[in-house]
Amino acid sequence: MKRALSGRVAVVTGASSGIGEAIARALAAGGARVGLIARRADRLDEIAASLGAKGHVARPFVADVRDRNSLTEVAGAVSGELGRVDCLVNNAGMMLLSRVEERSFEEWRTMIETNLVGAVETTTAFIDQLTDGGGDVVNISSSAGGRARPASSMYSATKAALNAWADGLRQEVADRGVRVIVVKPGAVHSELVEHISDEELREKARDTRQRVRALDAEDIARVVTFAVTQPEHMSVSELLVRPT
């Protein structure tokens, strides 16, 4: 029997747009009380208000996944307002493509701190709530974590590391009823592409998404909803989702 979303408390990072927003909306529509985490307060307020107008429960929490102190504060605030968190979606991420010879050290560091360390920091902020009764940790990775391409070496490295960390975490917390799920999307229409500083690479990424009919954010949201609503004895550990 499927595990209902109704009555559950979910937190989604990077919830101010794209995949994160779509996931938050899908979980809220299913009946979960949702905490929205991102840096853009105005966007979070708009999304929370939009969900509230539909009768859903959603609360905005401004935080940077690279800031441990703010995450600790948010973890307490979420449980105080919504209840014990039993579903965490680590979605916040950046795809700053660049070639190695460009020496984009700051961009590489930003991706490592956001895509990998950010997921680790967020999970540890909520881990006590998750293990106190069980739940789900969903990590939004990428198909690039299994195969690097020119100009995506560091991005792919962060996602490959996220995959490895998630598998170790899965084994650590399984006996306490926590399922760790990794979703690996291929090309998706989102803001990720717009953050690429190299104009040529940014345009190439845009063209690729048009050529292959990239996935929509809502496609990934359906996959996440599927994974976290499976029976508690069943864990969908990895899902690779590509454009047809």
Coordinates of all heavy atoms in Angstrom, one line a residue, residues 91-161:
N91 N 17.6 19.7 -3.5 CA 17.5 20.1 -4.9 C 18.4 21.2 -5.3 O 18.8 21.3 -6.4 CB 16.1 20.5 -5.2 CG 15.9 21.2 -6.6 OD1 16.0 20.6 -7.6 ND2 15.8 22.5 -6.5
A92 N 18.8 22.1 -4.4 CA 19.6 23.2 -4.7 C 20.9 22.8 -5.4 O 21.6 21.9 -5.0 CB 20.0 24.0 -3.4
G93 N 21.2 23.5 -6.5 CA 22.4 23.1 -7.3 C 22.7 24.1 -8.4 O 21.8 24.9 -8.7
M94 N 23.9 24.0 -8.9 CA 24.3 24.9 -10.0 C 25.1 24.1 -11.0 O 25.8 23.1 -10.7 CB 25.2 26.0 -9.4 CG 24.6 26.8 -8.3 SD 25.6 28.3 -7.8 CE 25.1 29.4 -9.1
M95 N 24.9 24.5 -12.3 CA 25.6 23.9 -13.4 C 26.4 25.0 -14.1 O 26.0 25.6 -15.1 CB 24.7 23.2 -14.3 CG 25.3 22.4 -15.5 SD 24.1 21.7 -16.6 CE 23.5 23.1 -17.5
L96 N 27.6 25.2 -13.6 CA 28.5 26.3 -14.2 C 29.5 25.6 -15.1 O 30.6 25.4 -14.7 CB 29.1 27.1 -13.1 CG 28.1 27.7 -12.0 CD1 28.9 28.3 -10.9 CD2 27.2 28.6 -12.7
L97 N 29.1 25.4 -16.3 CA 30.0 24.7 -17.3 C 31.2 25.6 -17.7 O 31.1 26.8 -17.9 CB 29.2 24.3 -18.5 CG 28.0 23.4 -18.3 CD1 27.4 23.0 -19.6 CD2 28.3 22.2 -17.5
S98 N 32.4 24.9 -17.7 CA 33.6 25.7 -18.2 C 34.6 24.6 -18.5 O 34.6 23.5 -18.0 CB 34.1 26.6 -17.1 OG 34.5 25.9 -16.0
R99 N 35.6 25.0 -19.4 CA 36.7 24.1 -19.7 C 37.8 24.3 -18.7 O 38.0 25.3 -18.1 CB 37.2 24.5 -21.1 CG 36.1 24.3 -22.2 CD 36.6 24.7 -23.6 NE 35.6 24.5 -24.6 CZ 34.6 25.4 -24.9 NH1 34.5 26.5 -24.2 NH2 33.7 25.2 -25.8
V100 N 38.5 23.2 -18.5 CA 39.6 23.2 -17.5 C 40.6 24.3 -17.7 O 41.0 24.9 -16.7 CB 40.3 21.8 -17.5 CG1 41.5 21.8 -16.5 CG2 39.3 20.7 -17.1
E101 N 41.0 24.5 -18.9 CA 42.0 25.6 -19.2 C 41.5 27.0 -18.8 O 42.3 27.9 -18.7 CB 42.5 25.5 -20.6 CG 41.5 25.8 -21.7 CD 40.9 24.6 -22.2 OE1 40.8 23.6 -21.5 OE2 40.4 24.7 -23.4
E102 N 40.2 27.1 -18.6 CA 39.7 28.5 -18.3 C 40.0 28.8 -16.8 O 39.9 29.9 -16.4 CB 38.2 28.5 -18.6 CG 37.9 28.5 -20.0 CD 36.4 28.5 -20.3 OE1 35.6 28.6 -19.3 OE2 36.0 28.3 -21.5
R103 N 40.3 27.8 -16.0 CA 40.7 28.0 -14.6 C 39.6 28.7 -13.8 O 39.9 29.7 -13.2 CB 42.1 28.7 -14.5 CG 43.2 27.9 -15.1 CD 44.5 28.7 -15.1 NE 45.6 27.9 -15.5 CZ 45.9 27.6 -16.8 NH1 45.2 28.2 -17.8 NH2 47.0 26.9 -17.1
S104 N 38.4 28.3 -13.9 CA 37.3 28.9 -13.3 C 37.2 28.5 -11.8 O 36.2 27.9 -11.4 CB 36.0 28.6 -14.1 OG 36.1 29.0 -15.4
F105 N 38.2 28.8 -11.1 CA 38.3 28.3 -9.7 C 37.1 28.6 -8.8 O 36.6 27.8 -8.1 CB 39.6 28.7 -9.1 CG 40.8 28.2 -9.7 CD1 41.7 29.1 -10.4 CD2 41.1 26.8 -9.8 CE1 42.8 28.6 -11.0 CE2 42.2 26.3 -10.4 CZ 43.1 27.2 -11.0
E106 N 36.7 29.9 -8.9 CA 35.6 30.3 -8.1 C 34.3 29.6 -8.4 O 33.5 29.3 -7.5 CB 35.4 31.9 -8.2 CG 36.5 32.6 -7.5 CD 36.7 32.2 -6.1 OE1 35.7 32.1 -5.3 OE2 37.9 32.0 -5.7
E107 N 34.0 29.4 -9.7 CA 32.8 28.7 -10.1 C 32.9 27.3 -9.7 O 31.9 26.7 -9.3 CB 32.6 28.8 -11.7 CG 32.3 30.2 -12.1 CD 31.9 30.3 -13.6 OE1 32.0 29.2 -14.3 OE2 31.4 31.3 -14.0
W108 N 34.0 26.7 -9.8 CA 34.2 25.3 -9.4 C 33.9 25.1 -7.9 O 33.2 24.2 -7.5 CB 35.6 24.7 -9.7 CG 35.9 24.7 -11.2 CD1 35.0 24.8 -12.2 CD2 37.2 24.7 -11.8 NE1 35.7 24.8 -13.4 CE2 37.0 24.7 -13.2 CE3 38.5 24.6 -11.3 CZ2 38.1 24.7 -14.1 CZ3 39.6 24.6 -12.1 CH2 39.4 24.6 -13.5
R109 N 34.5 26.1 -7.1 CA 34.3 26.0 -5.7 C 32.8 26.2 -5.3 O 32.3 25.5 -4.5 CB 35.1 27.1 -5.0 CG 35.0 27.1 -3.5 CD 35.9 28.1 -2.8 NE 37.3 27.9 -3.1 CZ 38.1 27.1 -2.4 NH1 37.5 26.4 -1.4 NH2 39.3 26.9 -2.7
T110 N 32.1 27.1 -6.1 CA 30.7 27.4 -5.8 C 29.9 26.1 -6.1 O 29.0 25.8 -5.3 CB 30.2 28.5 -6.7 OG1 30.9 29.7 -6.4 CG2 28.7 28.7 -6.6
M111 N 30.2 25.4 -7.1 CA 29.5 24.1 -7.4 C 29.7 23.1 -6.4 O 28.8 22.4 -5.9 CB 29.9 23.6 -8.8 CG 29.2 24.4 -9.9 SD 29.3 23.4 -11.5 CE 31.0 23.5 -11.8
I112 N 31.0 22.9 -5.9 CA 31.3 21.9 -4.9 C 30.6 22.3 -3.6 O 29.9 21.4 -3.0 CB 32.8 21.9 -4.6 CG1 33.6 21.4 -5.9 CG2 33.1 21.0 -3.4 CD1 35.1 21.5 -5.8
E113 N 30.6 23.5 -3.2 CA 29.9 23.9 -2.0 C 28.4 23.8 -2.0 O 27.8 23.6 -1.0 CB 30.4 25.3 -1.6 CG 31.8 25.5 -1.3 CD 32.3 26.9 -0.9 OE1 31.4 27.8 -1.2 OE2 33.4 27.1 -0.4
T114 N 27.8 24.0 -3.2 CA 26.4 24.0 -3.4 C 25.9 22.6 -3.7 O 25.0 22.1 -3.0 CB 25.9 24.9 -4.5 OG1 26.4 26.3 -4.3 CG2 24.4 24.9 -4.6
N115 N 26.4 22.0 -4.7 CA 25.9 20.7 -5.2 C 26.2 19.5 -4.2 O 25.4 18.6 -4.1 CB 26.5 20.3 -6.5 CG 26.1 21.3 -7.6 OD1 25.4 22.3 -7.3 ND2 26.6 21.2 -8.8
L116 N 27.4 19.5 -3.6 CA 27.8 18.4 -2.7 C 27.7 18.8 -1.2 O 26.9 18.3 -0.5 CB 29.2 18.0 -3.0 CG 29.8 16.9 -2.1 CD1 29.0 15.7 -2.1 CD2 31.3 16.6 -2.5
V117 N 28.5 19.8 -0.8 CA 28.6 20.2 0.6 C 27.2 20.7 1.0 O 26.7 20.4 2.2 CB 29.6 21.2 0.8 CG1 29.7 21.6 2.3 CG2 31.0 20.7 0.4
G118 N 26.5 21.4 0.2 CA 25.2 21.9 0.5 C 24.2 20.8 0.9 O 23.4 20.9 1.8
A119 N 24.2 19.8 0.1 CA 23.3 18.6 0.4 C 23.7 17.9 1.7 O 22.8 17.5 2.4 CB 23.4 17.6 -0.8
V120 N 25.0 17.8 1.9 CA 25.5 17.2 3.2 C 25.1 18.1 4.4 O 24.5 17.6 5.4 CB 27.0 17.0 3.1 CG1 27.5 16.5 4.5 CG2 27.4 16.1 2.0
E121 N 25.3 19.4 4.3 CA 25.0 20.3 5.4 C 23.5 20.3 5.6 O 23.0 20.3 6.8 CB 25.4 21.7 5.0 CG 26.9 21.9 4.9 CD 27.6 22.1 6.3 OE1 26.9 21.7 7.3 OE2 28.7 22.5 6.4
T122 N 22.7 20.3 4.6 CA 21.2 20.3 4.8 C 20.7 19.1 5.4 O 19.9 19.1 6.3 CB 20.5 20.6 3.4 OG1 21.0 21.8 2.8 CG2 19.0 20.7 3.7
T123 N 21.2 17.9 4.9 CA 20.8 16.6 5.5 C 21.2 16.5 7.0 O 20.4 16.1 7.8 CB 21.5 15.5 4.7 OG1 21.1 15.6 3.3 CG2 21.0 14.1 5.2
T124 N 22.4 17.0 7.3 CA 22.8 16.8 8.7 C 22.0 17.8 9.6 O 21.8 17.5 10.8 CB 24.3 17.1 8.9 OG1 24.6 18.4 8.3 CG2 25.2 16.1 8.2
A125 N 21.5 18.9 9.0 CA 20.7 19.8 9.8 C 19.3 19.2 10.2 O 18.8 19.4 11.2 CB 20.4 21.1 9.1
F126 N 18.9 18.3 9.3 CA 17.5 17.6 9.5 C 17.6 16.2 9.9 O 16.6 15.5 10.1 CB 16.7 17.8 8.2 CG 16.2 19.1 8.0 CD1 16.9 20.0 7.1 CD2 15.0 19.6 8.6 CE1 16.4 21.3 6.8 CE2 14.6 20.9 8.3 CZ 15.3 21.7 7.4
I127 N 18.8 15.6 10.0 CA 19.0 14.2 10.2 C 18.3 13.6 11.4 O 17.7 12.5 11.5 CB 20.5 13.7 10.1 CG1 20.6 12.2 9.9 CG2 21.2 14.2 11.3 CD1 20.0 11.7 8.6
D128 N 18.4 14.4 12.5 CA 17.8 13.9 13.8 C 16.3 13.8 13.7 O 15.6 12.9 14.2 CB 18.1 14.8 14.9 CG 19.6 14.7 15.3 OD1 20.3 13.7 14.9 OD2 20.1 15.7 16.0
Q129 N 15.7 14.7 12.9 CA 14.2 14.7 12.7 C 13.9 13.5 11.8 O 12.9 12.8 12.1 CB 13.7 16.0 12.1 CG 13.9 17.2 12.9 CD 13.2 18.4 12.3 OE1 12.1 18.4 11.8 NE2 14.0 19.5 12.2
L130 N 14.7 13.3 10.8 CA 14.4 12.2 9.9 C 14.5 10.8 10.5 O 13.7 9.9 10.2 CB 15.4 12.3 8.7 CG 15.1 13.5 7.7 CD1 16.3 13.8 6.9 CD2 13.9 13.1 6.8
T131 N 15.5 10.6 11.3 CA 15.7 9.3 12.0 C 14.8 9.1 13.2 O 14.7 8.0 13.6 CB 17.2 9.2 12.4 OG1 17.5 10.2 13.3 CG2 18.1 9.1 11.3
D132 N 14.1 10.1 13.6 CA 13.2 10.0 14.7 C 11.8 9.6 14.2 O 10.8 10.4 14.3 CB 13.1 11.3 15.5 CG 12.2 11.2 16.7 OD1 12.0 10.1 17.2 OD2 11.8 12.3 17.2
G133 N 11.7 8.5 13.6 CA 10.4 8.0 13.0 C 10.4 7.7 11.6 O 9.5 7.2 11.0
G134 N 11.6 7.9 10.9 CA 11.7 7.5 9.5 C 11.3 8.6 8.5 O 10.7 9.6 8.9
G135 N 11.6 8.3 7.3 CA 11.3 9.3 6.2 C 12.1 9.1 5.0 O 12.6 8.0 4.7
D136 N 12.2 10.1 4.2 CA 12.9 10.1 2.9 C 13.9 11.2 2.7 O 13.5 12.4 3.1 CB 11.9 10.1 1.7 CG 11.0 8.9 1.7 OD1 11.5 7.8 1.5 OD2 9.8 9.1 1.9
V137 N 15.0 10.9 2.2 CA 16.0 12.0 1.7 C 16.1 11.8 0.2 O 16.6 10.7 -0.2 CB 17.3 11.8 2.4 CG1 18.3 12.9 1.9 CG2 17.2 11.9 3.9
V138 N 15.7 12.8 -0.5 CA 15.8 12.7 -2.0 C 16.9 13.7 -2.4 O 16.9 14.9 -2.1 CB 14.5 13.1 -2.6 CG1 14.6 13.0 -4.2 CG2 13.3 12.3 -2.1
N139 N 17.8 13.2 -3.2 CA 18.9 14.0 -3.7 C 18.8 14.1 -5.2 O 18.8 13.1 -5.9 CB 20.3 13.3 -3.4 CG 20.5 13.2 -1.9 OD1 20.8 14.2 -1.2 ND2 20.4 12.0 -1.4
I140 N 18.6 15.4 -5.7 CA 18.5 15.6 -7.1 C 19.9 15.7 -7.7 O 20.6 16.7 -7.5 CB 17.7 16.9 -7.4 CG1 16.3 16.8 -6.8 CG2 17.6 17.1 -8.9 CD1 15.5 15.7 -7.2
S141 N 20.3 14.6 -8.3 CA 21.6 14.6 -8.9 C 21.5 14.9 -10.4 O 20.9 15.9 -10.8 CB 22.2 13.2 -8.7 OG 23.5 13.1 -9.2
S142 N 22.2 14.1 -11.3 CA 22.2 14.4 -12.7 C 22.7 13.2 -13.4 O 23.5 12.4 -12.9 CB 23.1 15.6 -13.0 OG 23.2 15.7 -14.4
S143 N 22.2 13.0 -14.7 CA 22.8 11.9 -15.5 C 24.3 12.2 -15.8 O 25.1 11.3 -16.0 CB 22.1 11.8 -16.8 OG 22.2 13.0 -17.6
A144 N 24.7 13.5 -15.6 CA 26.1 13.8 -15.8 C 27.0 13.2 -14.7 O 28.2 13.2 -14.9 CB 26.2 15.4 -15.8
G145 N 26.4 12.8 -13.6 CA 27.2 12.2 -12.6 C 27.7 10.8 -12.9 O 28.6 10.3 -12.3
G146 N 27.2 10.2 -14.0 CA 27.7 8.9 -14.4 C 28.6 9.0 -15.7 O 29.3 8.1 -16.0
R147 N 28.5 10.2 -16.3 CA 29.3 10.3 -17.6 C 29.6 11.8 -17.8 O 28.7 12.6 -18.1 CB 28.5 9.8 -18.8 CG 29.3 9.9 -20.1 CD 28.5 9.3 -21.2 NE 29.3 9.4 -22.5 CZ 28.8 9.0 -23.7 NH1 27.5 8.6 -23.7 NH2 29.5 9.1 -24.8
A148 N 30.9 12.2 -17.7 CA 31.3 13.5 -17.9 C 31.5 13.8 -19.4 O 31.7 12.9 -20.2 CB 32.6 13.8 -17.2
R149 N 31.3 15.1 -19.8 CA 31.5 15.5 -21.1 C 32.4 16.8 -21.1 O 32.6 17.4 -20.1 CB 30.2 15.9 -21.8 CG 29.2 14.7 -21.9 CD 27.9 15.1 -22.6 NE 27.0 14.0 -22.7 CZ 27.0 13.0 -23.6 NH1 27.9 13.1 -24.5 NH2 26.1 12.1 -23.6
P150 N 32.9 17.2 -22.3 CA 33.8 18.3 -22.3 C 33.0 19.5 -21.7 O 31.9 19.8 -22.0 CB 34.0 18.6 -23.8 CG 33.9 17.2 -24.4 CD 32.8 16.5 -23.6
A151 N 33.7 20.3 -20.9 CA 33.2 21.5 -20.2 C 32.3 21.1 -19.0 O 31.9 22.1 -18.3 CB 32.5 22.4 -21.1
S152 N 32.0 19.9 -18.7 CA 31.2 19.5 -17.6 C 32.0 18.7 -16.5 O 31.4 18.1 -15.6 CB 30.0 18.7 -18.0 OG 30.3 17.3 -18.3
S153 N 33.3 18.7 -16.6 CA 34.1 17.8 -15.8 C 33.8 18.1 -14.3 O 33.6 17.2 -13.5 CB 35.6 18.0 -16.1 OG 36.0 19.3 -15.9
M154 N 33.9 19.4 -13.9 CA 33.7 19.7 -12.5 C 32.2 19.5 -12.0 O 31.9 19.0 -10.9 CB 34.2 21.1 -12.1 CG 34.2 21.4 -10.6 SD 35.2 20.2 -9.7 CE 36.8 20.6 -10.2
Y155 N 31.3 19.9 -12.9 CA 29.9 19.7 -12.6 C 29.6 18.2 -12.4 O 29.0 17.8 -11.4 CB 29.0 20.2 -13.7 CG 27.5 19.9 -13.5 CD1 26.8 20.5 -12.5 CD2 26.9 19.0 -14.4 CE1 25.4 20.2 -12.4 CE2 25.5 18.8 -14.3 CZ 24.8 19.3 -13.2 OH 23.5 19.1 -13.1
S156 N 30.1 17.4 -13.3 CA 29.9 15.9 -13.2 C 30.6 15.4 -12.0 O 30.1 14.5 -11.4 CB 30.5 15.2 -14.5 OG 29.8 15.6 -15.6
A157 N 31.8 15.9 -11.6 CA 32.4 15.4 -10.4 C 31.6 15.7 -9.2 O 31.5 14.8 -8.3 CB 33.8 16.2 -10.3
T158 N 30.9 16.8 -9.1 CA 30.1 17.1 -7.9 C 28.9 16.2 -7.8 O 28.6 15.7 -6.8 CB 29.6 18.6 -7.9 OG1 28.7 18.8 -9.0 CG2 30.7 19.6 -8.0
K159 N 28.4 15.8 -9.0 CA 27.2 14.9 -9.0 C 27.6 13.5 -8.7 O 26.9 12.7 -8.1 CB 26.4 15.1 -10.3 CG 25.8 16.4 -10.5 CD 24.8 16.8 -9.4 CE 24.0 18.0 -9.7 NZ 23.0 18.3 -8.6
A160 N 28.8 13.1 -9.2 CA 29.3 11.8 -9.0 C 29.6 11.6 -7.5 O 29.3 10.6 -6.8 CB 30.5 11.5 -9.8
A161 N 30.1 12.6 -6.9 CA 30.4 12.6 -5.4 C 29.1 12.6 -4.6 O 29.0 11.9 -3.6 CB 31.2 13.9 -5.0

